[in-house]
Amino acid sequence: MNNITICMIGFGNVGKAFARLIDRKAESLALDYDVEIKIVAIATGSHGNAIDPLGIDPNKALLAIEGPGTLNGLSTNPAPSDMREFIALSEADFVIEISPVNYETGEPAITHIRAALQNKMHAVSANKGPVVHAYHELSELAKINGKQFLFESAVMDGAPIFSVFREALPCSDIIGFEGILNSCTNILIEMMEEGSSFNEAVTYAQSIGIAETDPSGDIDGWDASIKVAALATVLMGIPMKPQDVDRKGIRDLTPSAIQQAKNEGKRWKLVCSAELINGKVSAKVAPQLVSPSSPFFSVSGTSSFVLFKSDVLPGLGILESNPGPETTAYGLLADILNILKKEPGNA
Amino acid sequence: MNNITICMIGFGNVGKAFARLIDRKAESLALDYDVEIKIVAIATGSHGNAIDPLGIDPNKALLAIEGPGTLNGLSTNPAPSDMREFIALSEADFVIEISPVNYETGEPAITHIRAALQNKMHAVSANKGPVVHAYHELSELAKINGKQFLFESAVMDGAPIFSVFREALPCSDIIGFEGILNSCTNILIEMMEEGSSFNEAVTYAQSIGIAETDPSGDIDGWDASIKVAALATVLMGIPMKPQDVDRKGIRDLTPSAIQQAKNEGKRWKLVCSAELINGKVSAKVAPQLVSPSSPFFSVSGTSSFVLFKSDVLPGLGILESNPGPETTAYGLLADILNILKKEPGNA
């Protein structure tokens, strides 16, 4: 049995879902993958930290952080608040980085992943920040240390976007893609189709946790742009920052324009696109009018969709419908198992 | 450099596209995969056979079979017409089985693949027949002989259907799927939407090579059923024959029903589905009325789409648009490279 230890940086909805997932999948992991996964360290933003080399019971951890509770009582070893020290002391095989995303700098997630790799631990992340701000540095660092840095859940949750090209589609060159990658604007537009004003739609989206207190990251197309940049950087091999994307949000999309589209049987969607032209990527995020004959028309609610064009497959679309913290958590588990299968002895 | 030799059983449109593809990809195969692929044997139905251990020049082979020409002149070694002998004498590393599909028995493709595996060659096929009629036998035979049997192109051409679950989505259990898997009926319905009668649509589809001389395999849902059976057999692990699918074709779909749907902004589609219920798969192929809010609505022409439901991803859709012999050929190449990466020494 391959005993794998995990250090979790972040224990919000995705972290909790991951703890439940490895508990639910324990039997299949043992029987089909000969793996036992044990969480030995958890760091949180406001619920304390814990390290226990013998393993932290996920159910006890979930219980401990209810309300204002902390993990501190579960720690058998010193659990420093400096994350570099915390990661080093965890002595885990994998660091799972799921701290909140920082669109502008990618920090402190980049520091966490760097610390993991420097300590000869694999790094798995659901965080877009490190992908757009430090993909090449971290991948190189992983290589030098004989470890891997994967981040399937950074775009479209657990849907296989990075892994399908890395693991299943060898010898293919992506020459462009188009997609709908931001749920919040998708939902805001749908509410305006149903008659809400822009402000009513935003207020509702905030009330159900789909929009942030400052919703500009979604509305102005920054979230979509960072996803486009992440896809272009990794899948097309060309470093790209969100600022490089020709970006237009949905702020100028009026309810009357949306109603008019509806009357014509069409819909507005915030469409992302990227195309390789003469070795450079030209990328764009902008509202686009789509008709029912487009695969974008039916992408509703929190679903997302991306259509890739490559030199070998003229159109390969991947749709994720009904995602949740559980699907993001699965993306983390898939990364772990995909890393393990490439370890020596698991060919 | 890993020198790989190939024996091709079948050299129709897909075979020719494969020969062109490995020629076009030769540099990338050498640089990125350290592989050189050489065709050492080609068998055809009516253009003769050739074996040359030093390699058959793909361009010469393409030229030789133009018009009534044969490959016989390219053969440096005896090339028996018995395919079991032919395969054994080719001494290739891989057999690519792309003979015409036989829905009822899967033969003679099963015999070809069995011969390949018994001769310690990997088998790669674009043929649905062996998958539904002998998947478990051939997979077991491959295992016994330390070889692999892959068939990505058997369903949805080169789109990663089998490989995405095998290579990228570990520890996931598929509990059902829905999709549009037959191009011919898709096109016939679209022609009737545009005003053609059923017979006019069939005649046109036959003239462009989309429908067979006997179009009943498509029209009565057999082609869709064999694809459903292949997906259920492989991905859900439950052997299923096309006869086990609750099957209804498009013969009873009248142009007036199709026009009425169009007037209501809807479309008829031949929808495939399968669901795991109490350890059994319940599968169905039947015309279904879909509205623009369905991801099926925009699947037009030769495109196909399947939406999988698993215990970890509630909805993962895969769309293939604009396929052709080149995409099927890529599926064969992807299988070869995915097999090679699991060979000892390529971990």
Side-chain angles (χ1 to χ4, degrees):
Chain A
M1 183 76 80
N2 199 352
N3 287 290
I4 300 299
T5 55
I6 304 266
C7 167
M8 298 182 71
I9 308 296
F11 201 60
N13 288 335
V14 170
K16 292 174 199 168
F18 178 80
R20 286 187 207 104
L21 179 65
I22 58 170
D23 190 47
R24 175 167 79 80
K25 286 284 192 182
E27 194 179 321
S28 165
L29 287 167
L31 288 175
D32 304 331
Y33 297 89
D34 200 36
V35 166
E36 185 182 287
I37 296 179
K38 208 161 60 177
I39 299 170
V40 293
I42 305 174
T44 73
S46 51
H47 293 276
N49 304 330
I51 294 181
D52 181 348
L54 296 179
I56 298 169
D57 182 333
N59 294 310
K60 284 189 185 161
L62 291 166
L63 208 66
I65 60 161
E66 278 185 7
T70 80
L71 296 170
N72 300 339
L74 298 178
S75 204
T76 59
N77 288 34
S81 58
D82 179 282
M83 282 301 108
R84 282 172 299 187
E85 289 176 43
F86 182 87
I87 287 166
L89 283 173
S90 79
E91 294 189 348
D93 300 311
F94 284 78
V95 168
I96 291 190
E97 212 297 327
I98 40 177
S99 69
V101 61
N102 176 323
Y103 290 115
E104 278 167 43
T105 67
E107 288 291 6
I110 294 172
T111 298
H112 301 158
I113 294 167
R114 201 183 280 133
L117 297 169
Q118 284 166 341
N119 283 286
K120 310 269 181 204
M121 304 164 174
H122 296 294
V124 167
S125 178
N127 202 315
K128 289 174 278 292
V131 181
V132 290
H133 291 287
Y135 170 68
H136 286 97
E137 179 214 323
L138 295 173
S139 298
E140 194 53 36
L141 187 62
K143 211 170 167 183
I144 291 166
N145 287 284
K147 295 291 155 181
Q148 288 188 63
F149 163 46
L150 294 185
F151 39 79
E152 189 55 63
S153 294
V155 178
M156 284 175 69
D157 314 289
I161 301 298
F162 300 112
S163 62
V164 73
F165 289 99
R166 190 185 65 237
E167 309 286 339
L169 297 173
C171 213
S172 66
D173 297 319
I174 296 176
I175 50 187
F177 61 84
E178 280 189 293
I180 294 180
L181 296 170
N182 179 263
S183 302
C184 178
T185 50
N186 220 25
I187 288 169
L188 294 178
I189 294 171
E190 282 164 33
M191 289 194 64
M192 289 192 274
E193 284 172 353
E194 298 306 314
S196 296
S197 71
F198 184 80
N199 288 335
E200 282 165 358
V202 170
T203 304
Y204 175 77
Q206 286 169 327
S207 76
I208 60 165
I210 293 282
E212 310 272 333
T213 313
D214 172 8
S216 55
D218 290 311
I219 291 168
D220 293 327
W222 284 111
D223 177 71
S225 294
I226 199 172
K227 286 169 179 164
V228 169
L231 292 177
T233 299
V234 178
L235 294 178
M236 300 166 86
I238 294 177
M240 172 169 251
K241 295 270 188 295
Q243 293 82 349
D244 301 331
V245 177
D246 177 5
R247 178 186 48 78
K248 190 179 172 189
I250 64 161
R251 229 176 256 278
D252 297 338
L253 204 56
T254 61
S256 74
I258 289 170
Q259 281 300 327
Q260 194 188 327
K262 190 182 174 186
N263 295 340
E264 293 167 4
K266 298 181 179 175
R267 314 180 82 168
W268 285 94
K269 292 281 176 193
L270 187 65
V271 173
C272 305
S273 63
E275 200 182 355
L276 192 65
I277 301 170
N278 299 327
K280 286 186 180 168
V281 175
S282 167
K284 193 174 164 181
V285 167
Q288 192 178 305
L289 196 60
V290 301
S291 72
S293 64
S294 161
F296 298 159
F297 189 90
S298 62
V299 181
S300 62
T302 56
S303 297
S304 45
F305 175 73
V306 60
L307 182 64
F308 292 99
K309 189 176 176 176
S310 74
D311 72 325
V312 287
L313 297 176
L316 173 67
I318 298 181
L319 170 72
E320 185 184 45
S321 59
N322 301 318
E326 294 75 18
T327 47
T328 308
Y330 172 70
L332 299 169
L333 177 61
D335 278 345
I336 291 172
L337 295 173
N338 283 328
I339 287 173
L340 287 176
K341 80 179 177 194
K342 288 183 187 161
E343 294 270 87
N346 290 326
Chain B
M1 184 77 77
N2 199 352
N3 286 290
I4 299 300
T5 55
I6 304 267
C7 168
M8 298 181 70
I9 307 297
F11 201 59
N13 288 335
V14 169
K16 293 174 198 165
F18 179 81
R20 287 188 205 102
L21 179 66
I22 58 171
D23 192 47
R24 175 167 79 78
K25 286 285 192 182
E27 194 180 322
S28 165
L29 287 167
L31 288 174
D32 304 333
Y33 297 87
D34 200 35
V35 166
E36 185 182 288
I37 296 179
K38 210 161 58 179
I39 299 169
V40 293
I42 306 176
T44 72
S46 51
H47 293 276
N49 304 330
I51 294 181
D52 181 348
L54 296 178
I56 298 169
D57 182 332
N59 294 311
K60 284 188 187 163
L62 291 166
L63 209 63
I65 60 161
E66 279 185 6
T70 80
L71 296 169
N72 301 339
L74 299 177
S75 204
T76 60
N77 288 33
S81 58
D82 179 282
M83 284 300 109
R84 282 171 298 186
E85 288 176 43
F86 182 87
I87 288 166
L89 282 173
S90 78
E91 295 188 348
D93 300 312
F94 284 78
V95 168
I96 292 190
E97 211 298 328
I98 41 178
S99 69
V101 63
N102 176 325
Y103 291 115
E104 277 166 43
T105 66
E107 288 291 6
I110 294 172
T111 298
H112 302 159
I113 293 167
R114 201 183 281 133
L117 297 169
Q118 284 167 340
N119 283 287
K120 310 271 180 202
M121 304 164 174
H122 296 294
V124 167
S125 179
N127 202 315
K128 289 175 279 289
V131 181
V132 290
H133 291 287
Y135 170 69
H136 287 97
E137 179 215 322
L138 295 172
S139 298
E140 194 53 37
L141 188 61
K143 212 171 167 183
I144 291 166
N145 286 285
K147 296 291 154 181
Q148 287 187 64
F149 164 46
L150 294 184
F151 40 78
E152 189 54 62
S153 294
V155 179
M156 283 174 70
D157 314 289
I161 301 299
F162 300 112
S163 62
V164 72
F165 289 99
R166 190 184 65 237
E167 309 285 341
L169 297 174
C171 213
S172 66
D173 297 319
I174 296 176
I175 49 188
F177 61 84
E178 279 188 294
I180 294 179
L181 296 170
N182 179 263
S183 301
C184 178
T185 50
N186 221 24
I187 288 168
L188 294 178
I189 294 172
E190 283 164 33
M191 288 193 66
M192 290 191 273
E193 284 172 353
E194 297 307 313
S196 296
S197 71
F198 183 79
N199 288 334
E200 283 166 357
V202 170
T203 304
Y204 175 78
Q206 285 169 328
S207 76
I208 60 166
I210 293 281
E212 311 272 333
T213 313
D214 172 8
S216 55
D218 290 312
I219 291 168
D220 293 327
W222 283 112
D223 177 72
S225 295
I226 199 173
K227 287 169 179 164
V228 169
L231 293 177
T233 299
V234 179
L235 295 178
M236 300 166 88
I238 294 177
M240 173 170 251
K241 295 272 187 295
Q243 292 81 350
D244 302 331
V245 177
D246 177 5
R247 178 186 47 80
K248 191 180 173 190
I250 65 162
R251 230 175 256 278
D252 297 338
L253 205 55
T254 62
S256 74
I258 289 170
Q259 281 300 325
Q260 193 189 328
K262 191 182 174 184
N263 295 341
E264 292 168 3
K266 297 181 179 174
R267 314 181 82 167
W268 285 94
K269 292 282 176 192
L270 186 64
V271 174
C272 306
S273 63
E275 200 182 356
L276 192 65
I277 301 170
N278 298 328
K280 285 186 181 170
V281 175
S282 166
K284 193 174 166 182
V285 167
Q288 191 177 305
L289 196 60
V290 301
S291 72
S293 63
S294 161
F296 298 158
F297 189 90
S298 62
V299 181
S300 62
T302 57
S303 297
S304 45
F305 176 74
V306 60
L307 181 64
F308 292 99
K309 189 176 177 177
S310 73
D311 72 324
V312 287
L313 297 175
L316 173 67
I318 298 182
L319 171 71
E320 185 184 46
S321 58
N322 301 317
E326 295 74 19
T327 47
T328 308
Y330 171 70
L332 298 170
L333 178 61
D335 278 346
I336 291 172
L337 294 173
N338 283 328
I339 287 173
L340 287 176
K341 79 178 177 195
K342 288 181 188 164
E343 294 271 88
N346 289 326

